Amino acid sequence: MKDKRVFVSGGAGVIGRELVPLLIEMGAKVFVGDIEEIPKDFPTNLIYRHGDLNDLTQNEINQFDPEIFIHLAATFERSDETYGHWEENFQHNIKLSHHLITLIRNCPNIQRVVNASSYLIYDKNLYQFKTSKNKPYKLKETDPINPRNLTGLSKLGHEIELDFLSKFNSDKFSSISARIYRGYGTNSRDIISRWIRALLNDEEITVYNDEGFFDYMYARDTALGLVKLALSNASGIINLGTGSSRQVKDVVNILLDYFPEMKANKIINSDELIEASEADVTLLEKTLNWVPSSRLEDTIPIIIDYEKSRQSEQISSYKNILVTSISAKVSLIDSIKSGISKVSKKIKIIGCDIQSNIICSYFVDEFWQINKLDDSNLNNFITECISRNIGLIIPSRDGELEFFSRNKKTFLDNGIQIMVSEISSIVKCIDKLEFSSQRDLSIIPSSDSIENINASSYVVKERFGAGSKSIGINLTKEDAIKHSKSLKKPIFQPYIEGKELSIDAYIDKKKIVKGIVMRERVLVVNGESQITQSITNKDLENSFKNIISSLDLYGHVILQAIIGIDNTINVIECNPRFGGASAISIKSGLDSFYWAYLESTGVNIEDYPFYRPIKVVKQVRFHKDIYL
């Protein structure tokens, strides 16, 4: 490998973290591409391209001019793939593999392609059974194929592509596809790592069908095997496994030695097939004069030590979340908890309010009674936030948005992010009269004088604040004027017939609308939606996306609009915060608080896609008693 130019796709993954340092150590010149940021412990003497490799250009790869291409980039899920994996599999397995090999075949000095494939390609009927077996089935390279899921299908597709290209490029480069078996290692999402993380947190682990056999392949061995294959003359297909499967219960018993207080829920799932697979490594040994030698007994302690050190780092780096003016916003707190639990259960949700005896104090991890927020007590408030290790503030009331937006930089200077838009955008949204002046955005016209509104019937509302309980709808001119006298700062609008929609959206820090969920009110009581359901209409979504993009907002926002009888869009107002019925958008895939927390830690959330459910989501809001 001395001075060889090696391009590694997906180099920040589990195998890549072992492979890249190994290549550098061997003297190779390495170009790594990955959608994830560069790992902190990577060597500095390499080229790293952070981003989606679907966007890699021929010019970029030609500038590096690779001699060897090791293709690791892939997206995986568990054997039972979710619906969302449909698009992920196409983008980051099928499409990406095709794109990269299309570029690589044109590189002038490419000599060798090593493809990280999978044993999931083999016919599942060979190694999956309704009852447990005494020994595993040895899968041979010549065995029948029948991929058992989308990932296996994508791996087979790329094998066939490489085979196709070999007919036309055999004088230029050779390729080999290594069918890798049950991978595990440090910094992984594999079952062994997940169990270890759970046990370190004193959580119960669930063990399915512990009689099953798997050929566990340690990532360091996989990396070494791929390097050896890159340096060999072998082509076609080859198994990359240990050839010595272990049962699931072997893994559990090894873990029991390190976690004697382990709580394990063992389930024999009669509906799930039991795997008993093992690599036939005859060809591997013949080709390389080598087979992987790592044993579970030796590698599991390494992963435990890694997870312990990783956990201690995470504990110190995780910051808490402060939600302001929580009052009775239980739905908001539940939505935040749902999102943040994906990061860590160690993150505290702290709620604050100027009142002491409030409902939400029973639903947060910690309650903090505060004084009314203003600039005079800003420094004291920030000091208290720092003492509570708060890293993100989520304002929940219109009246405090200006305060937080105005002081956003001061909070940021103290290491505290705020999910709030810029002050100019906040003012435009809160002031309904000012908001309606943006006529190019299909916003319903408003005026503080009814004489400026030409309509047959009217809507009268407060210029500032939510005001849903004091609104007057479909009033005659006489009644509208009469109703306006009961309001502090009334504004008038024409009444428009049609269907009212609420549009929840999340705008990231780059001011890009990441996701959008439309919903309609089925039952409204006292101005609040008690029954709400999501709706899907691509044309409307695109229109609302353009409107929201023009408002220069950040974070979770809600647009209210009426779709007229002639299908025209009539925007009523915009609330630059989470709303009372917005929890339905969270259930519909708009993971606002998860994304906001990731962004607060510097993560680029382009890597965290918005997935919506394929069915309508209906939300029913009701009062519920709890007993303490």
Side-chain angles (χ1 to χ4, degrees):
M1 282 292 175
K2 180 69 174 173
D3 293 328
K4 289 283 187 182
R5 295 184 303 278
V6 185
F7 171 44
V8 181
S9 69
V14 181
I15 300 171
R17 286 171 183 251
E18 302 285 355
L19 175 66
V20 171
L22 178 61
L23 290 169
I24 296 290
E25 185 182 322
M26 297 175 76
K29 297 176 181 178
V30 183
F31 174 30
V32 178
D34 203 295
I35 202 166
E36 301 292 340
E37 293 183 0
I38 184 170
K40 294 178 182 177
D41 56 352
F42 258 21
T44 55
N45 53 335
L46 56 77
I47 302 169
Y48 195 89
R49 186 194 191 278
H50 174 217
D52 190 343
L53 290 178
N54 278 300
D55 300 324
L56 185 71
T57 65
Q58 190 72 59
N59 185 49
E60 282 183 273
I61 196 64
N62 282 357
Q63 285 180 351
F64 179 70
D65 191 19
E67 298 166 87
I68 298 173
F69 171 39
I70 301 179
H71 180 37
L72 300 178
T75 183
F76 288 90
E77 286 198 334
R78 302 175 191 181
S79 298
D80 186 16
E81 295 169 336
T82 64
Y83 187 79
H85 188 59
W86 172 267
E87 186 63 27
E88 277 281 288
N89 180 70
F90 177 75
Q91 290 293 331
H92 300 300
N93 288 342
I94 297 172
K95 182 182 176 184
L96 179 62
S97 295
H98 178 78
H99 174 64
L100 292 180
I101 197 59
T102 299
L103 300 181
I104 291 296
R105 67 175 182 164
N106 296 323
C107 292
N109 291 298
I110 189 70
Q111 299 167 12
R112 187 73 165 148
V113 173
V114 180
N115 173 40
S117 189
S118 171
Y119 81 103
L120 296 174
I121 286 171
Y122 291 114
D123 188 346
K124 56 192 175 187
N125 294 317
L126 296 172
Y127 62 91
Q128 287 190 316
F129 308 95
K130 291 183 179 179
T131 58
S132 58
K133 298 298 177 182
N134 294 325
K135 63 178 183 178
Y137 177 84
K138 275 192 177 295
L139 290 163
K140 301 175 287 296
E141 288 87 352
T142 55
D143 274 334
I145 55 176
N146 180 19
R148 81 185 203 201
N149 55 19
L150 291 178
T151 301
L153 178 65
S154 68
K155 294 294 185 182
L156 175 60
H158 194 53
E159 284 186 5
I160 294 172
E161 284 189 320
L162 289 173
D163 181 61
F164 174 83
L165 287 179
S166 69
K167 299 173 184 177
F168 303 94
N169 297 276
S170 58
D171 58 331
K172 188 175 181 182
F173 68 87
S174 61
S175 65
I176 187 162
S177 291
R179 290 179 177 170
I180 301 168
Y181 282 69
R182 191 74 165 202
Y184 73 106
T186 56
N187 198 56
S188 175
R189 293 183 297 168
D190 65 77
I191 189 63
I192 295 176
S193 292
R194 294 203 306 270
W195 278 345
I196 290 171
R197 289 181 202 125
L199 292 170
L200 286 171
N201 289 324
D202 297 322
E203 297 172 2
E204 182 182 71
I205 64 171
T206 301
V207 182
Y208 287 94
N209 299 326
D210 65 356
E211 298 291 328
F213 284 90
F214 293 93
D215 194 335
Y216 293 100
M217 187 68 183
Y218 190 49
R220 191 170 299 167
D221 283 342
T222 304
L224 182 57
L226 292 173
V227 170
K228 288 179 178 290
L229 288 171
L231 295 172
S232 76
N233 295 318
S235 61
I237 308 298
I238 195 165
N239 280 333
L240 186 51
T242 68
S244 300
S245 281
R246 303 288 296 273
Q247 288 186 291
V248 176
K249 61 184 176 184
D250 293 338
V251 178
V252 175
N253 289 334
I254 294 169
L255 290 173
L256 190 58
D257 291 337
Y258 295 91
F259 301 96
E261 304 298 320
M262 173 199 293
K263 296 188 287 277
N265 179 26
K266 296 185 179 181
I267 298 175
I268 306 299
N269 191 343
S270 58
D271 296 329
E272 186 175 309
L273 295 175
I274 301 174
E275 181 162 336
S277 64
E278 181 176 280
D280 184 319
V281 292
T282 305
L283 180 59
L284 181 71
E285 189 168 14
K286 180 181 177 182
T287 302
L288 303 179
N289 194 28
W290 171 89
V291 289
S293 57
S294 296
R295 300 164 62 247
L296 289 169
E297 286 80 359
D298 302 321
T299 53
I300 284 178
I302 296 173
I303 299 174
I304 292 173
D305 289 341
Y306 172 83
E307 289 296 339
K308 282 180 178 177
S309 63
R310 184 170 177 252
Q311 189 179 58
S312 62
E313 289 175 8
Q314 289 177 332
I315 290 171
S316 61
S317 62
Y318 284 140
K319 290 203 169 185
N320 299 323
I321 294 176
L322 176 67
V323 190
T324 64
S325 301
I326 56 174
S327 185
K329 299 166 185 169
V330 177
S331 167
L332 167 63
I333 300 301
D334 285 345
S335 295
I336 294 172
K337 284 182 176 179
S338 172
I340 301 308
S341 66
K342 297 176 184 177
V343 181
S344 173
K345 294 180 180 178
K346 300 181 185 299
I347 300 168
K348 284 185 179 180
I349 310 298
I350 300 171
C352 71
D353 204 286
I354 59 173
Q355 303 295 327
S356 59
N357 190 23
I358 58 172
I359 289 174
C360 257
S361 64
Y362 295 99
F363 292 87
V364 292
D365 297 312
E366 182 183 318
F367 175 67
W368 171 20
Q369 186 179 6
I370 62 170
N371 296 320
K372 185 177 180 180
L373 292 172
D374 57 46
D375 291 347
S376 65
N377 62 14
L378 174 62
N379 291 333
N380 288 338
F381 181 72
I382 289 176
T383 300
E384 289 292 329
C385 286
I386 293 171
S387 72
R388 289 169 168 82
N389 193 32
I390 290 166
L392 174 64
I393 296 177
I394 300 174
S396 75
R397 185 173 62 85
D398 287 344
E400 63 197 11
L401 294 179
E402 287 188 57
F403 166 81
F404 281 111
S405 184
R406 185 171 62 249
N407 296 294
K408 200 172 182 178
K409 185 179 183 304
T410 306
F411 280 97
L412 189 58
D413 290 343
N414 286 275
I416 301 170
Q417 302 270 348
I418 304 179
M419 194 170 86
V420 70
S421 301
E422 297 301 323
I423 187 71
S424 57
S425 302
I426 294 291
V427 170
K428 273 188 179 179
C429 289
I430 289 177
D431 185 338
K432 296 181 180 63
L433 185 60
E434 175 71 16
F435 180 73
S436 67
S437 66
Q438 304 170 89
R439 295 297 301 126
D440 55 330
L441 298 180
S442 304
I443 300 172
I444 298 173
S446 302
S447 175
D448 53 6
S449 170
I450 197 169
E451 301 302 331
N452 294 329
I453 302 296
N454 181 21
S456 56
S457 59
Y458 300 85
V459 172
V460 189
K461 63 174 70 171
E462 288 284 7
R463 179 174 176 177
F464 301 97
S468 57
K469 293 182 180 179
S470 59
I471 192 170
I473 299 175
N474 196 15
L475 303 178
T476 63
K477 185 173 183 179
E478 182 181 349
D479 287 340
I481 294 171
K482 183 178 178 181
H483 184 79
S484 70
K485 298 185 185 303
S486 66
L487 305 182
K488 294 178 181 177
K489 289 194 174 182
I491 59 170
F492 303 88
Q493 293 178 323
Y495 172 72
I496 298 172
E497 286 276 1
K499 179 188 290 186
E500 184 174 347
L501 297 182
S502 296
I503 302 92
D504 288 272
Y506 184 82
I507 302 101
D508 65 20
K509 286 195 170 183
K510 295 178 181 178
K511 303 299 177 68
I512 296 171
V513 179
K514 184 165 185 65
I516 193 167
V517 172
M518 300 187 301
R519 51 186 166 92
E520 61 178 336
R521 300 174 171 189
V522 179
L523 176 64
V524 180
V525 178
N526 294 327
E528 285 196 348
S529 303
Q530 289 199 352
I531 301 178
T532 306
Q533 70 179 25
S534 64
I535 65 169
T536 303
N537 182 308
K538 283 292 181 184
D539 291 336
L540 282 178
E541 280 185 18
N542 290 333
S543 297
F544 285 127
K545 195 171 183 178
N546 291 333
I547 292 169
I548 293 169
S549 296
S550 302
L551 295 173
D552 194 30
L553 297 167
Y554 161 67
H556 191 108
V557 304
I558 313 162
L559 208 65
Q560 306 284 354
I562 292 173
I563 307 304
I565 297 171
D566 54 355
N567 267 344
T568 54
I569 291 175
N570 303 276
V571 176
I572 303 170
E573 60 185 44
C574 179
N575 298 317
R577 58 170 175 78
F578 197 79
S582 293
I584 188 174
S585 67
I586 303 294
K587 293 291 184 183
S588 300
L590 196 73
D591 223 339
S592 296
F593 301 114
Y594 178 48
W595 294 329
Y597 191 87
L598 290 176
E599 286 198 297
S600 75
T601 63
V603 173
N604 179 1
I605 61 170
E606 287 179 7
D607 306 338
Y608 298 82
F610 165 52
Y611 292 123
R612 66 171 74 249
I614 58 172
K615 295 182 180 179
V616 168
V617 177
K618 182 174 284 189
Q619 176 194 66
V620 180
R621 307 186 77 198
F622 64 100
H623 292 291
K624 179 182 178 181
D625 299 331
I626 64 168
Y627 300 91
L628 308 178

